[in-house]
Amino acid sequence: MLFGQEHIDRYEATDGEEGYEWQGTQALILTTKGRKSGEPRKAPLIYAEHDGDYLIVASKGGAPEPPAWYVNLKAEPEVQVQVKGDKFTARARDATPEEKPELWKIMTGEWPAYDEYQTKTDRPIPVVVLERA
Protein backbone atom coordinates (compact mmCIF):
# COMPACT_ATOMS: atom_id res chain seq x y z
CA MET A 1 0.00 0.00 0.00
CA LEU A 2 1.24 3.46 -0.87
CA PHE A 3 1.77 5.92 1.94
CA GLY A 4 3.27 9.38 2.47
CA GLN A 5 5.96 10.57 0.06
CA GLU A 6 5.96 7.31 -1.92
CA HIS A 7 2.22 7.75 -2.48
CA ILE A 8 2.78 11.31 -3.77
CA ASP A 9 5.70 10.28 -6.00
CA ARG A 10 3.85 7.36 -7.64
CA TYR A 11 0.64 9.38 -8.07
CA GLU A 12 2.45 12.25 -9.77
CA ALA A 13 4.63 9.98 -11.92
CA THR A 14 1.60 8.05 -13.24
CA ASP A 15 -1.11 10.78 -13.24
CA GLY A 16 -2.88 8.79 -10.56
CA GLU A 17 -2.76 5.40 -12.32
CA GLU A 18 -0.99 4.39 -9.09
CA GLY A 19 -2.30 6.01 -5.94
CA TYR A 20 -5.67 7.40 -7.07
CA GLU A 21 -7.52 4.32 -5.84
CA TRP A 22 -6.55 3.78 -2.22
CA GLN A 23 -7.99 1.33 0.34
CA GLY A 24 -11.44 1.25 -1.26
CA THR A 25 -11.71 4.99 -1.79
CA GLN A 26 -9.92 7.59 -3.92
CA ALA A 27 -7.20 10.16 -3.27
CA LEU A 28 -6.09 13.51 -4.62
CA ILE A 29 -2.81 15.34 -4.09
CA LEU A 30 -3.13 18.66 -2.27
CA THR A 31 -0.25 21.16 -2.46
CA THR A 32 -0.22 23.94 0.12
CA LYS A 33 2.37 26.65 0.73
CA GLY A 34 4.28 26.11 3.98
CA ARG A 35 3.25 28.97 6.24
CA LYS A 36 6.77 29.29 7.67
CA SER A 37 9.00 27.96 4.88
CA GLY A 38 7.03 29.20 1.89
CA GLU A 39 7.90 25.83 0.29
CA PRO A 40 5.27 23.68 -1.45
CA ARG A 41 3.95 20.93 0.83
CA LYS A 42 2.10 17.96 -0.67
CA ALA A 43 -0.34 15.54 0.93
CA PRO A 44 -2.30 12.60 -0.50
CA LEU A 45 -5.86 12.92 0.83
CA ILE A 46 -9.12 11.02 0.57
CA TYR A 47 -11.74 13.13 -1.20
CA ALA A 48 -15.27 13.19 -2.54
CA GLU A 49 -16.83 15.38 -5.22
CA HIS A 50 -19.86 17.51 -4.39
CA ASP A 51 -21.51 20.02 -6.74
CA GLY A 52 -18.30 20.41 -8.76
CA ASP A 53 -16.14 20.99 -5.66
CA TYR A 54 -13.77 18.60 -3.92
CA LEU A 55 -14.18 17.76 -0.24
CA ILE A 56 -11.37 16.74 2.10
CA VAL A 57 -11.29 16.23 5.88
CA ALA A 58 -8.69 17.67 8.28
CA SER A 59 -8.83 14.70 10.66
CA LYS A 60 -5.21 13.70 11.37
CA GLY A 61 -6.71 10.47 12.72
CA GLY A 62 -8.44 12.33 15.56
CA ALA A 63 -5.27 13.96 16.92
CA PRO A 64 -5.80 17.01 19.17
CA GLU A 65 -4.04 19.27 16.65
CA PRO A 66 -5.01 19.67 12.99
CA PRO A 67 -2.79 18.36 10.18
CA ALA A 68 -0.04 20.70 8.94
CA TRP A 69 -1.68 20.99 5.51
CA TYR A 70 -4.80 22.43 7.15
CA VAL A 71 -2.83 25.03 9.12
CA ASN A 72 -1.05 25.96 5.87
CA LEU A 73 -4.24 26.44 3.85
CA LYS A 74 -5.80 28.52 6.61
CA ALA A 75 -2.81 30.88 6.22
CA GLU A 76 -2.88 30.72 2.37
CA PRO A 77 -6.14 29.35 0.94
CA GLU A 78 -4.93 29.25 -2.67
CA VAL A 79 -3.81 25.66 -3.22
CA GLN A 80 -2.91 23.30 -6.05
CA VAL A 81 -4.88 20.10 -6.55
CA GLN A 82 -4.23 17.02 -8.66
CA VAL A 83 -7.02 14.52 -9.37
CA LYS A 84 -5.59 11.80 -11.63
CA GLY A 85 -4.05 13.81 -14.51
CA ASP A 86 -6.11 16.95 -13.83
CA LYS A 87 -4.02 19.64 -12.11
CA PHE A 88 -5.66 22.90 -11.09
CA THR A 89 -5.63 25.83 -8.69
CA ALA A 90 -8.33 25.88 -6.04
CA ARG A 91 -9.45 28.05 -3.17
CA ALA A 92 -9.86 26.21 0.13
CA ARG A 93 -12.50 27.06 2.71
CA ASP A 94 -14.08 25.35 5.68
CA ALA A 95 -17.59 24.06 5.20
CA THR A 96 -20.08 26.39 6.85
CA PRO A 97 -21.99 25.17 9.92
CA GLU A 98 -25.04 24.84 7.64
CA GLU A 99 -23.16 22.74 5.04
CA LYS A 100 -21.09 20.58 7.35
CA PRO A 101 -23.66 17.92 8.39
CA GLU A 102 -24.40 16.99 4.76
CA LEU A 103 -20.75 17.15 3.69
CA TRP A 104 -19.59 15.15 6.74
CA LYS A 105 -22.06 12.41 5.78
CA ILE A 106 -20.62 12.35 2.24
CA MET A 107 -17.10 12.02 3.62
CA THR A 108 -17.95 9.29 6.14
CA GLY A 109 -19.45 7.46 3.16
CA GLU A 110 -15.95 7.49 1.66
CA TRP A 111 -14.09 6.78 4.91
CA PRO A 112 -16.30 5.65 7.81
CA ALA A 113 -13.44 6.00 10.34
CA TYR A 114 -13.90 9.81 10.30
CA ASP A 115 -16.76 9.33 12.79
CA GLU A 116 -14.42 7.39 15.09
CA TYR A 117 -11.69 10.03 14.69
CA GLN A 118 -14.12 12.74 15.84
CA THR A 119 -14.81 10.82 19.07
CA LYS A 120 -11.05 10.86 19.86
CA THR A 121 -10.71 14.67 19.93
CA ASP A 122 -12.49 17.70 21.35
CA ARG A 123 -11.43 19.60 18.21
CA PRO A 124 -14.27 19.85 15.69
CA ILE A 125 -12.79 18.13 12.62
CA PRO A 126 -13.33 20.40 9.61
CA VAL A 127 -14.59 19.42 6.20
CA VAL A 128 -12.65 21.55 3.69
CA VAL A 129 -14.22 22.55 0.38
CA LEU A 130 -11.80 22.99 -2.54
CA GLU A 131 -13.37 25.29 -5.14
CA ARG A 132 -11.70 25.26 -8.56
CA ALA A 133 -10.31 28.74 -9.26
Side-chain angles (χ1 to χ4, degrees), residues 105-123:
K105 197 169 171 184
I106 291 168
M107 291 310 296
T108 57
E110 292 297 334
W111 195 253
Y114 287 136
D115 278 332
E116 179 194 335
Y117 299 165
Q118 185 59 85
T119 67
K120 293 180 180 179
T121 182
D122 295 330
R123 167 177 74 86

Side-chain angles (χ1 to χ4, degrees), residues 43-105:
L45 299 169
I46 293 166
Y47 81 92
E49 283 188 65
H50 176 71
D51 289 347
D53 297 328
Y54 295 84
L55 309 176
I56 54 177
V57 176
S59 66
K60 200 175 180 184
E65 72 286 343
W69 62 259
Y70 179 74
V71 179
N72 287 341
L73 68 73
K74 293 302 284 181
E76 174 49 73
E78 187 172 289
V79 297
Q80 301 300 312
V81 179
Q82 180 172 348
V83 178
K84 293 188 175 176
D86 186 17
K87 300 171 187 171
F88 57 93
T89 300
R91 186 149 195 86
R93 65 172 180 85
D94 286 0
T96 66
E98 295 74 31
E99 292 173 309
K100 188 176 177 186
E102 178 191 0
L103 303 184
W104 182 264
K105 197 169 171 184

